[in-house]
Amino acid sequence: MSQTIERLLNLRKLLKVERDEDFKQYQIHFSRNNINHRKQNGVTWYPIVISNVEIGLGEYLSIDIERTTNHNEPHQFSGGKIAAMFSNTYPDEKPINGTVKVLGPNKLRLSLNIDELPDWCSDGKLGINLLFDETSYKEMDIAMEKVITASNSRLAVLRDVMYDLKPPAFDKIDDTIQLTKLNKSQNAAVQKIISAKDVAIIHGPPGTGKTTTLVQAIRLTLQNEKQVLVCSSSNTAVDLLTEKLHREGINVLRLGNPARISEDVLINTLDSKVAAHPSYKELKSYRKTAEEYFKMAGKYKRTFGREEREQRQLFYYEAKKILGEARVLEDFILNEQFEKAQVIACTPVVSSNRMMRNRQFTTVFIDEAAQSLEPMAWIPITRSNRVVFAGDHFQLPPTVKSKKAEEEGLKETLFEQCMHIPNVSVMLNTQYRMNEQIMNFSNTKFYKGNLIADVSVKDNVLSKDANDYLINTPVDFIDTAGCGYNEILNPESLSNSNPEEAQLLIKHLKLVLEQFENSNKSGKRITIGVISPYKEQVQYLTNLIAEDEHLINYKSQIAVKTIDGFQGQERDIIYISLVRSNDNKEIGFLSDIRRMNVALTRAKTKLVVIGDSATLANHTFYKDFLDYIESINSYKTAWEFMDFG
């Protein structure tokens, strides 16, 4: 057996370990027998009422559910998740499973795989539970099976190229491809993609225009191919690409659960395109008539005689006959949308759904590929002849819940694997986001000094006035060493916070905003991001900002999130609260330097990092960061701000 097949078999085994760990965590958190406990955890709504029933896409029922108590309490339901409706009146009846679609604080729509509701649904005492969703694991396992068993096929060739057993093939580079919208390295990346026969990579460090480059590469590819597949494991990235491709005049079909799709791209969704079709009125009419027959049949309850039973059967027969006609029309409308689309955009799991089963593509573009588990990346690759990856393996890694699976190789991505292949990737080397001093530390640490700050951003600061000492420099590190600002561990969430560090951050932010208000002659609105690696600190900071009289005016301009929440985003000002401060010099997952690279590269004009140098300096990365801070004269101490406010 070859080493490659051995590695893939091991990967498949690790995927099962990960699935088991995920399920174990689900059981610990959510599958408590006590219904009140589940309600508190936000994984059960009880009691609920069914406020509407209608026939949705694919002739399946859609039901609207509302909770009648516990209004506006936080919950864990979200679009695309699997949930089951149950009855406490009939506990022995099998619950009905469905997919959460549209969502509100107290209302959700459940898409069911049945064409009529069982009788117990009309007898009250209903509830809904969130279920463990195995779909992604099943699809990843199916993809791994295909890759492992592939022989004498296009998939076998791609596997061997990506595992460096065969050299990748390229046509001659076409130097005449010079798009005026793109810079030199972006054009080189597009040329590489157009010439690639097997695999090509856009390596896009922060702010280098990866998405812009990818969109132009897709546009040029469509000159020779009728349709391409575009995937990312992040719904946000799929939405961004959909929006940009749509602006280029490209017909994009965005697949996926509408509850997980941003409003800006809803026009590109399958539901929206079907609703805009000239035959949709006719389809609605069929469904309405069928619904009326179902309602008439539904009036006959459990206790009725032979005549009523026959009448009910007749109504159901008519309803199903009309639905059959509706299905034929719907299939015609759906097929037309798939045929007309130049780009099908979705997450990898959705690329394997029922409507995509028989579709094969010449090219698949996978964005944020360095964040995608290898088995996840294989799902769309199994239906493609060549692959274009875009991403940055020095930013967020994929999430792996099992320590064992992570340590034994599940965290290593196909993107990283392919980055070792000679002549496959082009790095974008000009960044358009941040001041050079904000860029330089990451540039040295991760990108071998190859990044260049474009002249349009190189020297950008919030103020050029020498008196504006807080905003005329691009970077500050505020050291809390010796202040006694100790971290606190929440025993329930196992997340850390540092209240005094958070209070210092708020104090400094208010001073910065005050100075900016006084010097801001143009009336420019600035955006602010407050980042902490710890959820507990994010919550604490969110509460402080919400309660602050001055900061309430900036509510729409301030976002407080974990690092993952800021992936792909940027703000004028970024604050980072590092939290860790202890005598043992433990820094926990601050040692995940790829995540820290993301945090340090979100700011455009001002980056403020707050932390305890005594705790941090034991780690090489932070020692080097502190040395860099000294070299650009950006070191401050918390004592300087103690007397303010």
Side-chain angles (χ1 to χ4, degrees):
M1 190 189 297
S2 76
Q3 272 188 315
T4 296
I5 299 301
E6 266 182 44
R7 173 170 152 67
L8 288 163
L9 285 166
N10 184 52
L11 204 53
R12 195 177 181 191
K13 200 169 72 189
L14 294 177
L15 191 61
K16 187 177 183 319
V17 172
E18 173 70 0
R19 180 254 169 231
D20 292 346
E21 176 61 28
D22 198 0
F23 185 56
K24 187 173 132 195
Q25 288 185 22
Y26 164 82
Q27 286 181 307
I28 291 166
H29 290 300
F30 308 139
S31 295
R32 306 285 169 96
N33 291 325
N34 184 326
I35 198 164
N36 288 324
H37 199 110
R38 292 204 310 267
K39 279 165 74 173
Q40 283 166 15
N41 269 339
V43 295
T44 295
W45 284 6
Y46 181 86
I48 57 164
V49 292
I50 298 170
S51 58
N52 184 43
V53 181
E54 62 182 56
I55 299 162
L57 209 56
E59 81 168 55
Y60 294 129
L61 285 187
S62 276
I63 58 173
D64 289 347
I65 287 168
E66 293 181 36
R67 51 179 172 178
T68 54
T69 60
N70 300 82
H71 282 170
N72 299 319
E73 281 194 7
H75 60 79
Q76 305 209 28
F77 288 83
S78 66
K81 290 196 173 178
I82 307 297
M85 190 168 70
F86 63 89
S87 164
N88 261 3
T89 310
Y90 302 100
D92 296 332
E93 294 282 4
K94 192 181 174 194
I96 310 166
N97 290 5
T99 307
V100 177
K101 291 199 93 175
V102 183
L103 196 71
N106 304 303
K107 189 174 179 176
L108 61 81
R109 177 166 289 180
L110 199 63
S111 182
L112 307 171
N113 291 338
I114 53 174
D115 53 17
E116 62 176 294
L117 287 176
D119 291 336
W120 56 260
C121 290
S122 52
D123 288 350
K125 291 198 175 177
L126 300 177
I128 184 167
N129 283 329
L130 202 54
L131 299 183
F132 180 70
D133 187 6
E134 284 205 79
T135 312
S136 58
Y137 289 108
K138 282 179 179 167
E139 293 300 344
M140 284 191 276
D141 189 64
I142 290 166
M144 292 307 294
E145 169 75 15
K146 286 181 186 171
V147 176
I148 289 163
T149 58
S151 175
N152 299 320
S153 64
R154 189 67 197 130
L155 182 58
V157 172
L158 286 177
R159 177 194 64 206
D160 292 349
V161 167
M162 290 193 221
Y163 273 84
D164 214 4
L165 301 173
K166 281 186 181 171
F170 292 90
D171 288 329
K172 188 175 181 298
I173 293 279
D174 184 356
D175 296 333
T176 63
I177 297 172
Q178 293 293 338
L179 302 173
T180 51
K181 294 179 181 179
L182 304 185
N183 65 36
K184 193 176 175 184
S185 64
Q186 290 170 334
N187 269 308
V190 172
Q191 289 167 10
K192 175 71 74 182
I193 288 163
I194 299 302
S195 73
K197 291 189 167 183
D198 305 305
V199 61
I201 295 179
I202 301 175
H203 178 199
T208 53
K210 169 180 64 72
T211 308
T212 302
T213 310
L214 195 56
V215 165
Q216 292 308 315
I218 293 166
R219 189 178 65 77
L220 285 194
T221 301
L222 285 168
Q223 291 177 2
N224 299 311
E225 295 171 27
K226 184 174 176 283
Q227 192 176 69
V228 300
L229 178 60
V230 174
C231 287
S232 171
S233 47
S234 140
N235 273 295
T236 311
V238 181
D239 284 346
L240 181 61
L241 280 164
T242 301
E243 200 180 324
K244 292 203 167 193
L245 288 162
H246 179 74
R247 275 196 219 138
E248 290 278 338
I250 291 165
N251 185 329
V252 187
L253 178 58
R254 168 68 162 104
L255 297 181
N257 193 305
R260 288 188 172 182
I261 294 169
S262 82
E263 283 185 21
D264 297 336
V265 299
L266 280 175
I267 192 173
N268 301 102
T269 60
L270 190 56
D271 284 3
S272 178
K273 284 176 183 274
V274 168
H277 194 277
S279 301
Y280 183 64
K281 276 186 184 169
E282 193 184 341
L283 181 63
K284 266 186 93 172
S285 171
Y286 278 137
R287 283 186 185 157
K288 197 169 187 302
T289 310
E291 270 174 38
E292 282 163 9
Y293 277 115
F294 273 128
K295 274 178 190 162
M296 286 191 276
K299 284 176 184 168
Y300 295 94
K301 296 296 175 193
R302 289 169 187 273
T303 51
F304 49 73
R306 188 172 63 83
E307 274 184 37
E308 286 93 341
R309 188 174 287 109
E310 283 175 4
Q311 190 62 45
R312 173 172 156 144
Q313 289 304 112
L314 192 64
F315 283 142
Y316 274 136
Y317 172 76
E318 281 302 320
K320 287 180 177 177
K321 191 176 91 174
I322 292 164
L323 275 183
E325 291 169 27
R327 192 192 306 137
V328 172
L329 179 58
E330 186 179 74
D331 284 347
F332 167 75
I333 297 171
L334 290 173
N335 282 332
E336 197 172 286
Q337 303 319 307
F338 277 92
E339 288 307 313
K340 276 166 41 180
Q342 295 169 278
V343 170
I344 293 177
C346 57
T347 59
V349 173
V350 173
S351 76
S352 65
N353 79 9
R354 184 174 58 87
M355 289 180 279
M356 291 281 281
R357 286 271 147 84
N358 301 319
R359 295 190 173 270
Q360 196 69 19
F361 299 85
T362 303
T363 308
V364 58
F365 291 85
I366 303 179
D367 193 16
E368 305 289 14
Q371 268 183 271
S372 187
L373 290 174
E374 178 172 337
M376 185 65 80
W378 280 116
I379 298 173
I381 294 170
T382 59
R383 56 190 67 248
S384 310
N385 292 346
R386 70 177 192 128
V387 192
V388 177
F389 291 118
D392 179 12
H393 52 307
F394 298 124
Q395 293 187 63
L396 289 184
T399 303
V400 180
K401 293 182 178 178
S402 160
K403 200 82 187 136
K404 174 181 163 67
E406 183 179 23
E407 284 167 359
E408 291 186 22
L410 189 61
K411 70 175 178 185
E412 285 159 32
T413 65
L414 206 47
F415 182 95
E416 286 171 277
Q417 174 122 329
C418 292
M419 281 297 291
H420 297 303
I421 304 170
N423 198 35
V424 153
S425 70
V426 172
M427 181 178 127
L428 309 181
N429 63 10
T430 307
Q431 67 83 13
Y432 299 89
R433 174 181 297 161
M434 61 201 113
N435 180 291
E436 193 170 39
Q437 285 192 355
I438 298 172
M439 173 194 82
N440 274 341
F441 178 69
S442 284
N443 190 20
T444 306
K445 268 290 180 193
F446 297 99
Y447 306 109
K448 299 178 182 172
N450 290 325
L451 267 184
I452 302 155
D454 187 69
V455 68
S456 62
V457 297
K458 189 171 181 269
D459 302 313
N460 281 0
V461 281
L462 291 170
S463 170
K464 302 262 195 222
D465 189 328
N467 296 316
D468 292 336
Y469 70 102
L470 287 170
I471 58 173
N472 61 13
T473 56
V475 183
D476 283 330
F477 175 77
I478 303 173
D479 192 357
T480 64
C483 295
Y485 291 1
N486 292 327
E487 64 190 59
I488 300 167
L489 179 70
N490 180 330
E492 280 189 28
S493 67
L494 299 178
S495 181
N496 288 289
S497 65
N498 192 321
E500 288 153 314
E501 184 176 290
Q503 287 156 18
L504 174 68
L505 186 153
I506 299 300
K507 195 181 283 188
H508 190 273
L509 172 59
K510 284 160 74 173
L511 290 169
V512 163
L513 290 174
E514 186 185 343
Q515 203 164 94
F516 180 75
E517 280 167 11
N518 293 335
S519 71
N520 181 20
K521 305 291 185 279
S522 64
K524 177 186 187 297
R525 271 169 67 88
I526 51 164
T527 55
I528 302 130
V530 179
I531 300 177
S532 179
Y534 292 93
K535 283 181 182 170
E536 203 69 25
Q537 186 78 337
V538 166
Q539 194 53 56
Y540 192 82
L541 284 159
T542 302
N543 295 341
L544 282 182
I545 289 167
E547 291 159 9
D548 192 281
E549 286 177 16
H550 180 63
L551 293 179
I552 203 87
N553 302 321
Y554 288 90
K555 192 180 172 187
S556 64
Q557 290 155 260
I558 301 177
V560 191
K561 298 178 187 177
T562 59
I563 296 171
D564 294 41
F566 273 104
Q567 168 75 359
Q569 297 189 35
E570 60 186 29
R571 297 289 188 273
D572 295 310
I573 302 172
I574 287 283
Y575 276 81
I576 304 173
S577 171
L578 294 175
V579 176
R580 301 309 298 258
S581 179
N582 56 74
D583 295 337
N584 299 329
K585 299 179 171 39
E586 288 173 2
I587 65 167
F589 61 69
L590 287 190
S591 57
D592 184 347
I593 61 173
R594 282 170 59 168
R595 266 193 165 75
M596 198 44 59
N597 182 36
V598 173
L600 293 170
T601 53
R602 301 303 100 196
K604 288 156 70 171
T605 49
K606 181 78 185 178
L607 172 66
V608 182
V609 183
I610 305 177
D612 176 359
S613 66
T615 301
L616 298 167
N618 247 25
H619 191 284
T620 315
F621 179 84
Y622 294 97
K623 185 188 177 303
D624 291 348
F625 178 68
L626 291 165
D627 289 345
Y628 173 69
I629 288 296
E630 292 276 9
S631 76
I632 58 170
N633 199 26
S634 290
Y635 178 86
K636 305 271 194 307
T637 169
W639 299 100
E640 295 174 45
F641 304 99
M642 293 277 194
D643 300 330
F644 290 99

